[in-house]
PDB file of all heavy atoms in Angstrom:
ATOM      1  N   GLY P   1      -0.883  -0.470  12.030  1.00 93.00           N
ATOM      2  CA  GLY P   1      -0.262  -1.578  11.240  1.00 93.00           C
ATOM      3  C   GLY P   1      -0.814  -1.895   9.932  1.00 93.00           C
ATOM      4  O   GLY P   1      -0.437  -2.893   9.323  1.00 93.00           O
ATOM      5  N   TYR P   2      -1.775  -1.100   9.444  1.00 94.00           N
ATOM      6  CA  TYR P   2      -2.395  -1.378   8.134  1.00 94.00           C
ATOM      7  C   TYR P   2      -1.505  -0.929   7.010  1.00 94.00           C
ATOM      8  O   TYR P   2      -0.938   0.174   7.141  1.00 94.00           O
ATOM      9  CB  TYR P   2      -3.757  -0.663   8.037  1.00 94.00           C
ATOM     10  CG  TYR P   2      -4.855  -1.276   8.904  1.00 94.00           C
ATOM     11  CD1 TYR P   2      -4.971  -0.815  10.286  1.00 94.00           C
ATOM     12  CD2 TYR P   2      -5.728  -2.178   8.501  1.00 94.00           C
ATOM     13  CE1 TYR P   2      -5.939  -1.337  11.121  1.00 94.00           C
ATOM     14  CE2 TYR P   2      -6.771  -2.675   9.260  1.00 94.00           C
ATOM     15  CZ  TYR P   2      -6.838  -2.289  10.621  1.00 94.00           C
ATOM     16  OH  TYR P   2      -7.785  -2.762  11.396  1.00 94.00           O
ATOM     17  N   THR P   3      -1.514  -1.664   5.937  1.00 95.00           N
ATOM     18  CA  THR P   3      -0.828  -1.269   4.710  1.00 95.00           C
ATOM     19  C   THR P   3      -1.787  -1.015   3.576  1.00 95.00           C
ATOM     20  O   THR P   3      -1.566  -0.356   2.574  1.00 95.00           O
ATOM     21  CB  THR P   3       0.172  -2.295   4.234  1.00 95.00           C
ATOM     22  OG1 THR P   3      -0.452  -3.576   4.055  1.00 95.00           O
ATOM     23  CG2 THR P   3       1.264  -2.475   5.333  1.00 95.00           C
ATOM     24  N   THR P   4      -3.037  -1.617   3.665  1.00 94.00           N
ATOM     25  CA  THR P   4      -4.058  -1.475   2.688  1.00 94.00           C
ATOM     26  C   THR P   4      -5.417  -1.258   3.416  1.00 94.00           C
ATOM     27  O   THR P   4      -5.658  -1.928   4.436  1.00 94.00           O
ATOM     28  CB  THR P   4      -4.189  -2.689   1.748  1.00 94.00           C
ATOM     29  OG1 THR P   4      -2.973  -2.942   1.103  1.00 94.00           O
ATOM     30  CG2 THR P   4      -5.304  -2.545   0.721  1.00 94.00           C
ATOM     31  N   THR P   5      -6.208  -0.334   2.895  1.00 94.00           N
ATOM     32  CA  THR P   5      -7.487  -0.121   3.508  1.00 94.00           C
ATOM     33  C   THR P   5      -8.488   0.276   2.445  1.00 94.00           C
ATOM     34  O   THR P   5      -8.163   0.435   1.250  1.00 94.00           O
ATOM     35  CB  THR P   5      -7.460   0.935   4.644  1.00 94.00           C
ATOM     36  OG1 THR P   5      -8.711   1.009   5.309  1.00 94.00           O
ATOM     37  CG2 THR P   5      -7.090   2.348   4.074  1.00 94.00           C
ATOM     38  N   SER P   6      -9.762   0.500   2.831  1.00 93.00           N
ATOM     39  CA  SER P   6     -10.784   0.933   1.846  1.00 93.00           C
ATOM     40  C   SER P   6     -11.500   2.132   2.413  1.00 93.00           C
ATOM     41  O   SER P   6     -11.717   2.233   3.607  1.00 93.00           O
ATOM     42  CB  SER P   6     -11.736  -0.252   1.611  1.00 93.00           C
ATOM     43  OG  SER P   6     -12.405  -0.654   2.776  1.00 93.00           O
ATOM     44  N   GLU P   7     -11.814   3.019   1.502  1.00 93.00           N
ATOM     45  CA  GLU P   7     -12.821   4.068   1.805  1.00 93.00           C
ATOM     46  C   GLU P   7     -14.103   3.636   1.122  1.00 93.00           C
ATOM     47  O   GLU P   7     -14.282   3.754  -0.064  1.00 93.00           O
ATOM     48  CB  GLU P   7     -12.349   5.443   1.196  1.00 93.00           C
ATOM     49  CG  GLU P   7     -13.326   6.549   1.398  1.00 93.00           C
ATOM     50  CD  GLU P   7     -13.893   6.618   2.782  1.00 93.00           C
ATOM     51  OE1 GLU P   7     -13.107   6.984   3.720  1.00 93.00           O
ATOM     52  OE2 GLU P   7     -15.078   6.254   2.909  1.00 93.00           O
ATOM     53  N   ILE P   8     -14.989   3.119   1.978  1.00 92.00           N
ATOM     54  CA  ILE P   8     -16.113   2.370   1.423  1.00 92.00           C
ATOM     55  C   ILE P   8     -17.361   3.166   1.302  1.00 92.00           C
ATOM     56  O   ILE P   8     -18.418   2.662   0.955  1.00 92.00           O
ATOM     57  CB  ILE P   8     -16.328   1.082   2.247  1.00 92.00           C
ATOM     58  CG1 ILE P   8     -17.114   0.051   1.486  1.00 92.00           C
ATOM     59  CG2 ILE P   8     -17.041   1.399   3.552  1.00 92.00           C
ATOM     60  CD1 ILE P   8     -16.620  -1.349   1.696  1.00 92.00           C
ATOM     61  N   MET P   9     -17.257   4.492   1.543  1.00 93.00           N
ATOM     62  CA  MET P   9     -18.425   5.353   1.319  1.00 93.00           C
ATOM     63  C   MET P   9     -17.924   6.718   0.842  1.00 93.00           C
ATOM     64  O   MET P   9     -18.107   7.745   1.510  1.00 93.00           O
ATOM     65  CB  MET P   9     -19.234   5.477   2.583  1.00 93.00           C
ATOM     66  CG  MET P   9     -20.671   6.008   2.260  1.00 93.00           C
ATOM     67  SD  MET P   9     -21.683   6.091   3.743  1.00 93.00           S
ATOM     68  CE  MET P   9     -21.028   7.628   4.511  1.00 93.00           C
ATOM     69  N   ILE P  10     -17.314   6.762  -0.314  1.00 95.00           N
ATOM     70  CA  ILE P  10     -16.944   8.037  -0.925  1.00 95.00           C
ATOM     71  C   ILE P  10     -18.253   8.738  -1.334  1.00 95.00           C
ATOM     72  O   ILE P  10     -19.126   8.142  -1.961  1.00 95.00           O
ATOM     73  CB  ILE P  10     -16.073   7.817  -2.183  1.00 95.00           C
ATOM     74  CG1 ILE P  10     -14.819   7.078  -1.854  1.00 95.00           C
ATOM     75  CG2 ILE P  10     -15.741   9.152  -2.838  1.00 95.00           C
ATOM     76  CD1 ILE P  10     -13.958   6.636  -3.009  1.00 95.00           C
ATOM     77  N   GLU P  11     -18.383   9.967  -0.949  1.00 94.00           N
ATOM     78  CA  GLU P  11     -19.571  10.751  -1.282  1.00 94.00           C
ATOM     79  C   GLU P  11     -19.766  10.791  -2.759  1.00 94.00           C
ATOM     80  O   GLU P  11     -18.777  10.849  -3.532  1.00 94.00           O
ATOM     81  CB  GLU P  11     -19.482  12.164  -0.700  1.00 94.00           C
ATOM     82  CG  GLU P  11     -19.652  12.226   0.799  1.00 94.00           C
ATOM     83  CD  GLU P  11     -21.065  11.707   1.268  1.00 94.00           C
ATOM     84  OE1 GLU P  11     -22.020  12.072   0.639  1.00 94.00           O
ATOM     85  OE2 GLU P  11     -21.054  10.800   2.146  1.00 94.00           O
ATOM     86  N   PRO P  12     -21.029  10.788  -3.299  1.00 93.00           N
ATOM     87  CA  PRO P  12     -21.229  10.806  -4.704  1.00 93.00           C
ATOM     88  C   PRO P  12     -20.455  11.961  -5.416  1.00 93.00           C
ATOM     89  O   PRO P  12     -20.606  13.120  -4.975  1.00 93.00           O
ATOM     90  CB  PRO P  12     -22.719  10.966  -4.824  1.00 93.00           C
ATOM     91  CG  PRO P  12     -23.293  10.376  -3.571  1.00 93.00           C
ATOM     92  CD  PRO P  12     -22.262  10.693  -2.542  1.00 93.00           C
ATOM     93  N   GLY P  13     -19.703  11.687  -6.392  1.00 92.00           N
ATOM     94  CA  GLY P  13     -19.029  12.655  -7.164  1.00 92.00           C
ATOM     95  C   GLY P  13     -17.724  13.099  -6.550  1.00 92.00           C
ATOM     96  O   GLY P  13     -17.022  13.986  -7.153  1.00 92.00           O
ATOM     97  N   ALA P  14     -17.279  12.582  -5.412  1.00 96.00           N
ATOM     98  CA  ALA P  14     -16.055  13.053  -4.719  1.00 96.00           C
ATOM     99  C   ALA P  14     -14.807  12.297  -4.964  1.00 96.00           C
ATOM    100  O   ALA P  14     -13.734  12.505  -4.359  1.00 96.00           O
ATOM    101  CB  ALA P  14     -16.366  13.150  -3.204  1.00 96.00           C
ATOM    102  N   SER P  15     -14.873  11.338  -5.904  1.00 97.00           N
ATOM    103  CA  SER P  15     -13.680  10.437  -6.053  1.00 97.00           C
ATOM    104  C   SER P  15     -12.483  11.194  -6.564  1.00 97.00           C
ATOM    105  O   SER P  15     -11.331  10.963  -6.070  1.00 97.00           O
ATOM    106  CB  SER P  15     -14.067   9.312  -7.041  1.00 97.00           C
ATOM    107  OG  SER P  15     -14.983   8.419  -6.491  1.00 97.00           O
ATOM    108  N   ARG P  16     -12.628  12.084  -7.468  1.00 96.00           N
ATOM    109  CA  ARG P  16     -11.479  12.839  -7.977  1.00 96.00           C
ATOM    110  C   ARG P  16     -10.960  13.811  -6.967  1.00 96.00           C
ATOM    111  O   ARG P  16      -9.718  13.940  -6.864  1.00 96.00           O
ATOM    112  CB  ARG P  16     -11.878  13.622  -9.242  1.00 96.00           C
ATOM    113  CG  ARG P  16     -12.235  12.755 -10.491  1.00 96.00           C
ATOM    114  CD  ARG P  16     -12.575  13.564 -11.691  1.00 96.00           C
ATOM    115  NE  ARG P  16     -13.101  12.688 -12.790  1.00 96.00           N
ATOM    116  CZ  ARG P  16     -12.401  11.991 -13.631  1.00 96.00           C
ATOM    117  NH1 ARG P  16     -11.046  12.056 -13.523  1.00 96.00           N
ATOM    118  NH2 ARG P  16     -12.901  11.260 -14.559  1.00 96.00           N
ATOM    119  N   MET P  17     -11.775  14.364  -6.175  1.00 96.00           N
ATOM    120  CA  MET P  17     -11.302  15.237  -5.080  1.00 96.00           C
ATOM    121  C   MET P  17     -10.539  14.481  -4.064  1.00 96.00           C
ATOM    122  O   MET P  17      -9.487  14.912  -3.563  1.00 96.00           O
ATOM    123  CB  MET P  17     -12.560  15.981  -4.434  1.00 96.00           C
ATOM    124  CG  MET P  17     -12.156  16.882  -3.326  1.00 96.00           C
ATOM    125  SD  MET P  17     -13.582  17.720  -2.610  1.00 96.00           S
ATOM    126  CE  MET P  17     -14.409  16.377  -1.820  1.00 96.00           C
ATOM    127  N   LEU P  18     -11.033  13.276  -3.757  1.00 95.00           N
ATOM    128  CA  LEU P  18     -10.304  12.429  -2.792  1.00 95.00           C
ATOM    129  C   LEU P  18      -8.966  11.994  -3.357  1.00 95.00           C
ATOM    130  O   LEU P  18      -7.949  12.024  -2.623  1.00 95.00           O
ATOM    131  CB  LEU P  18     -11.127  11.182  -2.409  1.00 95.00           C
ATOM    132  CG  LEU P  18     -10.559  10.234  -1.374  1.00 95.00           C
ATOM    133  CD1 LEU P  18     -10.187  10.960  -0.107  1.00 95.00           C
ATOM    134  CD2 LEU P  18     -11.520   9.085  -1.117  1.00 95.00           C
ATOM    135  N   GLN P  19      -8.902  11.658  -4.608  1.00 95.00           N
ATOM    136  CA  GLN P  19      -7.606  11.344  -5.218  1.00 95.00           C
ATOM    137  C   GLN P  19      -6.655  12.502  -5.129  1.00 95.00           C
ATOM    138  O   GLN P  19      -5.438  12.295  -4.801  1.00 95.00           O
ATOM    139  CB  GLN P  19      -7.813  10.893  -6.661  1.00 95.00           C
ATOM    140  CG  GLN P  19      -6.520  10.417  -7.263  1.00 95.00           C
ATOM    141  CD  GLN P  19      -6.507  10.505  -8.783  1.00 95.00           C
ATOM    142  OE1 GLN P  19      -7.007  11.409  -9.385  1.00 95.00           O
ATOM    143  NE2 GLN P  19      -5.980   9.440  -9.433  1.00 95.00           N
ATOM    144  N   SER P  20      -7.150  13.687  -5.374  1.00 95.00           N
ATOM    145  CA  SER P  20      -6.241  14.852  -5.341  1.00 95.00           C
ATOM    146  C   SER P  20      -5.723  15.095  -3.905  1.00 95.00           C
ATOM    147  O   SER P  20      -4.550  15.421  -3.685  1.00 95.00           O
ATOM    148  CB  SER P  20      -6.994  16.146  -5.730  1.00 95.00           C
ATOM    149  OG  SER P  20      -7.389  16.031  -7.188  1.00 95.00           O
ATOM    150  N   ALA P  21      -6.561  14.874  -2.891  1.00 93.00           N
ATOM    151  CA  ALA P  21      -6.150  15.055  -1.502  1.00 93.00           C
ATOM    152  C   ALA P  21      -5.091  14.014  -1.077  1.00 93.00           C
ATOM    153  O   ALA P  21      -4.113  14.267  -0.460  1.00 93.00           O
ATOM    154  CB  ALA P  21      -7.348  14.900  -0.614  1.00 93.00           C
ATOM    155  N   ILE P  22      -5.293  12.727  -1.617  1.00 91.00           N
ATOM    156  CA  ILE P  22      -4.327  11.680  -1.354  1.00 91.00           C
ATOM    157  C   ILE P  22      -2.990  11.947  -2.001  1.00 91.00           C
ATOM    158  O   ILE P  22      -1.919  11.762  -1.410  1.00 91.00           O
ATOM    159  CB  ILE P  22      -4.952  10.350  -1.810  1.00 91.00           C
ATOM    160  CG1 ILE P  22      -6.105   9.927  -0.885  1.00 91.00           C
ATOM    161  CG2 ILE P  22      -3.839   9.254  -1.823  1.00 91.00           C
ATOM    162  CD1 ILE P  22      -6.895   8.790  -1.412  1.00 91.00           C
ATOM    163  N   LYS P  23      -3.031  12.469  -3.215  1.00 91.00           N
ATOM    164  CA  LYS P  23      -1.781  12.760  -3.985  1.00 91.00           C
ATOM    165  C   LYS P  23      -1.052  13.943  -3.475  1.00 91.00           C
ATOM    166  O   LYS P  23       0.127  14.148  -3.786  1.00 91.00           O
ATOM    167  CB  LYS P  23      -2.137  12.888  -5.445  1.00 91.00           C
ATOM    168  CG  LYS P  23      -2.530  11.621  -6.175  1.00 91.00           C
ATOM    169  CD  LYS P  23      -1.414  10.611  -6.221  1.00 91.00           C
ATOM    170  CE  LYS P  23      -1.781   9.436  -7.095  1.00 91.00           C
ATOM    171  NZ  LYS P  23      -0.645   8.465  -7.086  1.00 91.00           N
ATOM    172  N   ALA P  24      -1.728  14.790  -2.724  1.00 93.00           N
ATOM    173  CA  ALA P  24      -1.116  16.075  -2.283  1.00 93.00           C
ATOM    174  C   ALA P  24      -0.104  15.867  -1.110  1.00 93.00           C
ATOM    175  O   ALA P  24       0.576  16.812  -0.771  1.00 93.00           O
ATOM    176  CB  ALA P  24      -2.233  17.049  -1.830  1.00 93.00           C
ATOM    177  N   ARG P  25      -0.061  14.723  -0.518  1.00 89.00           N
ATOM    178  CA  ARG P  25       0.799  14.467   0.596  1.00 89.00           C
ATOM    179  C   ARG P  25       1.318  13.029   0.459  1.00 89.00           C
ATOM    180  O   ARG P  25       0.875  12.219  -0.308  1.00 89.00           O
ATOM    181  CB  ARG P  25       0.101  14.648   1.923  1.00 89.00           C
ATOM    182  CG  ARG P  25      -1.049  13.683   2.194  1.00 89.00           C
ATOM    183  CD  ARG P  25      -1.775  13.943   3.447  1.00 89.00           C
ATOM    184  NE  ARG P  25      -2.517  15.261   3.274  1.00 89.00           N
ATOM    185  CZ  ARG P  25      -3.196  15.765   4.335  1.00 89.00           C
ATOM    186  NH1 ARG P  25      -3.154  15.192   5.540  1.00 89.00           N
ATOM    187  NH2 ARG P  25      -3.858  16.864   4.202  1.00 89.00           N
ATOM    188  N   ARG P  26       2.348  12.703   1.249  1.00 88.00           N
ATOM    189  CA  ARG P  26       2.891  11.330   1.263  1.00 88.00           C
ATOM    190  C   ARG P  26       1.803  10.408   1.753  1.00 88.00           C
ATOM    191  O   ARG P  26       1.157  10.645   2.799  1.00 88.00           O
ATOM    192  CB  ARG P  26       4.106  11.314   2.216  1.00 88.00           C
ATOM    193  CG  ARG P  26       4.743   9.904   2.297  1.00 88.00           C
ATOM    194  CD  ARG P  26       5.967   9.896   3.113  1.00 88.00           C
ATOM    195  NE  ARG P  26       6.486   8.553   3.331  1.00 88.00           N
ATOM    196  CZ  ARG P  26       6.126   7.774   4.347  1.00 88.00           C
ATOM    197  NH1 ARG P  26       5.224   8.226   5.295  1.00 88.00           N
ATOM    198  NH2 ARG P  26       6.638   6.530   4.512  1.00 88.00           N
ATOM    199  N   ASN P  27       1.597   9.296   1.025  1.00 87.00           N
ATOM    200  CA  ASN P  27       0.552   8.374   1.334  1.00 87.00           C
ATOM    201  C   ASN P  27       1.175   6.977   1.558  1.00 87.00           C
ATOM    202  O   ASN P  27       1.539   6.323   0.532  1.00 87.00           O
ATOM    203  CB  ASN P  27      -0.507   8.348   0.272  1.00 87.00           C
ATOM    204  CG  ASN P  27      -1.539   7.281   0.551  1.00 87.00           C
ATOM    205  OD1 ASN P  27      -1.865   6.944   1.630  1.00 87.00           O
ATOM    206  ND2 ASN P  27      -1.951   6.573  -0.521  1.00 87.00           N
ATOM    207  N   PRO P  28       1.317   6.470   2.753  1.00 92.00           N
ATOM    208  CA  PRO P  28       1.897   5.121   2.963  1.00 92.00           C
ATOM    209  C   PRO P  28       0.896   3.994   2.815  1.00 92.00           C
ATOM    210  O   PRO P  28       1.260   2.832   3.130  1.00 92.00           O
ATOM    211  CB  PRO P  28       2.416   5.261   4.385  1.00 92.00           C
ATOM    212  CG  PRO P  28       1.498   6.233   5.060  1.00 92.00           C
ATOM    213  CD  PRO P  28       1.043   7.185   4.002  1.00 92.00           C
ATOM    214  N   LEU P  29      -0.338   4.330   2.462  1.00 93.00           N
ATOM    215  CA  LEU P  29      -1.404   3.216   2.391  1.00 93.00           C
ATOM    216  C   LEU P  29      -1.799   3.021   0.887  1.00 93.00           C
ATOM    217  O   LEU P  29      -1.836   3.961   0.162  1.00 93.00           O
ATOM    218  CB  LEU P  29      -2.630   3.674   3.176  1.00 93.00           C
ATOM    219  CG  LEU P  29      -2.596   3.687   4.647  1.00 93.00           C
ATOM    220  CD1 LEU P  29      -3.914   4.302   5.202  1.00 93.00           C
ATOM    221  CD2 LEU P  29      -2.453   2.285   5.229  1.00 93.00           C
TER     222      LEU P  29
END
């Protein structure tokens, strides 16, 4: 039932990679 959440421990330097993974598929969050 969540609509907003946090990734509160992105590995150092991995923010762009995580964004690419999120954008690569439908993201309802």
Side-chain angles (χ1 to χ4, degrees):
Y2 290 85
T3 59
T4 302
T5 188
S6 60
E7 175 47 71
I8 203 142
M9 198 178 76
I10 301 171
E11 287 299 310
S15 292
R16 294 182 189 278
M17 181 178 67
L18 181 57
Q19 185 200 43
S20 296
I22 290 168
K23 290 294 188 181
R25 64 183 70 185
R26 179 176 174 271
N27 173 37
L29 287 174

